[in-house]
Amino acid sequence: MTWLNSGRTVQFKIKPLSPGVTGVSLYDGPSSQVTVSLPLFPATGWIDDQRARLEKVRRAFTS
């Protein structure tokens, strides 16, 4: 997933790296060209919990 991939703003990317590890990176291409990347190790069940919450929101707004 990429947020603000217009080429003129900071980019925020989230991608799975391996089972149980999610990579998050910020890239300031237009200005400083600095990239900061971090691996995140969400607790067991965290991703499933977030997906369930998102589904509740989607149902609430499509009803």
Side-chain angles (χ1 to χ4, degrees):
M1 176 181 131
T2 302
W3 179 67
L4 290 177
N5 193 13
S6 69
R8 298 183 320 221
T9 58
V10 174
Q11 291 180 22
F12 177 70
K13 295 182 180 183
I14 301 171
K15 68 178 184 176
L17 299 177
S18 63
V21 183
T22 301
V24 176
S25 63
L26 293 168
Y27 173 61
D28 181 24
S31 181
S32 66
Q33 296 189 359
V34 170
T35 300
V36 176
S37 298
L38 299 169
L40 298 180
F41 304 90
T44 302
W46 184 85
I47 292 174
D48 291 332
D49 179 53
Q50 298 307 306
R51 286 183 177 147
R53 291 169 186 253
L54 177 59
E55 183 57 31
K56 286 181 184 178
V57 170
R58 286 180 173 159
R59 276 185 295 202
F61 282 95
T62 58
S63 299

